[in-house]
Amino acid sequence: MSSIEQSGTFTLGHRSVKRVGYGAMQLAGPGVFGPPKDRGAALAVLREAVARGVNHIDTSDFYGPHITNQLIREALHPYRDDLTIVTKISARRGDDGSWIPAMSREELIQAVHDNLRNLGLDVLDVVNLRSMLGIHGPVEGSIEEPLTVVAELQRQGLVRHIGLSNVTPAQVAEGRKICEIVCVQNHYNVAHREDDALIDALARDGIAYVPFFPLGGFSPLQSSTLSGVAARLGATPMQVALAWLLRRSPNILLIPGTSSIAHLHENLAAAELALPDDAVKELESVATISAT
């Protein structure tokens, strides 16, 4: 049995959470749209994650839409006292499954209420404002207007803590002038290191960094290097990628997602994987390998 205790803990909002959590996005249907093929299996994965010690779950009401939050409520409500559920707002889904910016005041307020209703909560633990200035990656521009709305909802008691997602360092700095920011959630992995300086700066201030897509955007050569390290260690590429992230900085919190209990167990086992120095050195070279 894997033990995520070995990964340690870090403060997220008002709780200390284990550094290996769970991302619920993949519980929805293909393209994160519609219901899962096997609802029972999705519920089982959520219950198994918590049974294995996970106390940080990442979700959003635009996954499905509404599907993953409804699954979380069905599987886990009433929630354990130590469970932190982090959601995100600022997008909606088109009838074709497209991702549409939803950053107006009315849309943000509605999104918070949708999350509350579908999760069965009176207050949301952490709400990440995801910048939709760029759908596929961070784009510079002010986030003051939408973040001010979220801060108002926090003062009303509907949101405990606020985070940011898909943002640049400049936007993080802007956000921290508006309200306390407890976490930043961006695309980052051993091959995509653009946020290195940001991670270190956040660590100094005790702010969590939550990377997504631990295997996203690798070139074939980068993937082959990672796979070679994994084969030598008797691990999967995902386990090695997650273990590297855990080693990278103590403020990194992982949210690997899966709809399979077997894969859930593999992901959680990354907490036990000790990377030898030679493996770390080889992995560090992945970012310099051309992505072409």
Side-chain angles (χ1 to χ4, degrees):
M1 179 177 291
S2 66
S3 172
I4 63 173
E5 305 289 342
Q6 295 184 37
S7 66
T9 61
F10 194 80
T11 300
L12 178 59
H14 62 294
R15 297 194 185 102
S16 176
V17 301
K18 293 164 189 172
R19 293 182 62 209
V20 180
Y22 174 75
M25 183 174 74
Q26 294 186 34
L27 294 182
V32 200
F33 194 67
K37 181 178 180 180
D38 188 336
R39 187 179 185 88
L43 296 172
V45 168
L46 284 163
R47 291 171 180 145
E48 179 67 4
V50 172
R52 289 291 182 116
V54 167
N55 61 0
H56 168 206
I57 292 178
D58 180 82
T59 186
S60 174
D61 213 54
F62 54 68
Y63 294 163
H66 315 304
I67 299 297
T68 62
N69 281 353
Q70 292 168 356
L71 289 168
I72 290 169
R73 180 176 184 174
E74 182 176 346
L76 303 176
H77 195 276
Y79 303 113
R80 285 174 23 174
D81 290 342
D82 69 335
L83 180 64
T84 294
I85 299 177
V86 180
T87 189
K88 65 184 69 65
I89 59 175
S90 75
R92 61 184 177 85
R93 307 301 294 278
D95 292 339
D96 59 352
S98 56
W99 303 80
I100 303 170
M103 297 181 70
S104 71
R105 177 182 181 84
E106 295 74 18
E107 289 169 320
L108 294 171
I109 292 172
Q110 184 62 53
V112 165
H113 284 281
D114 286 346
N115 278 278
L116 287 167
R117 182 182 65 256
N118 285 312
L119 286 168
L121 291 169
D122 296 321
V123 56
L124 298 172
D125 291 327
V126 183
V127 171
N128 284 329
L129 173 69
R130 187 188 196 280
S131 171
M132 293 295 286
L133 296 174
I135 294 178
H136 302 296
V139 171
E140 293 290 3
S142 177
I143 58 170
E144 179 180 2
E145 186 172 341
L147 186 57
T148 298
V149 176
V150 185
E152 289 176 5
L153 294 168
Q154 183 184 41
R155 288 191 291 272
Q156 293 171 20
L158 299 178
V159 175
R160 284 198 181 93
H161 304 283
I162 298 172
L164 297 172
S165 180
N166 196 42
V167 287
T168 67
Q171 289 164 338
V172 173
E174 180 187 33
R176 295 183 67 186
K177 294 177 181 178
I178 297 169
C179 61
E180 180 184 6
I181 300 299
V182 301
C183 59
V184 172
Q185 186 181 107
N186 276 357
H187 179 196
Y188 177 85
N189 56 43
V190 70
H192 292 264
R193 305 282 297 275
E194 290 84 355
D195 276 358
D196 271 340
L198 176 61
I199 290 170
D200 295 339
L202 294 175
R204 288 192 292 269
D205 290 339
I207 299 173
Y209 184 91
V210 188
F212 55 81
F213 297 151
L215 289 180
F218 280 61
S219 71
L221 187 55
Q222 290 169 330
S223 293
S224 66
T225 300
L226 179 65
S227 296
V229 171
R232 291 202 309 274
L233 298 178
T236 68
M238 176 63 91
Q239 287 173 329
V240 171
L242 295 174
W244 180 86
L245 286 167
L246 288 172
R247 178 165 169 154
R248 168 63 182 82
S249 182
N251 66 324
I252 287 182
L253 300 177
L254 304 183
I255 50 169
T258 180
S259 58
S260 158
I261 286 182
H263 288 159
L264 171 70
H265 292 167
E266 288 181 5
N267 291 340
L268 298 183
E272 301 176 332
L273 180 60
L275 298 177
D277 290 341
D278 62 332
V280 172
K281 184 176 181 180
E282 187 170 356
L283 291 170
E284 293 285 344
S285 73
V286 166
T288 65
I289 298 174
S290 173
T292 59

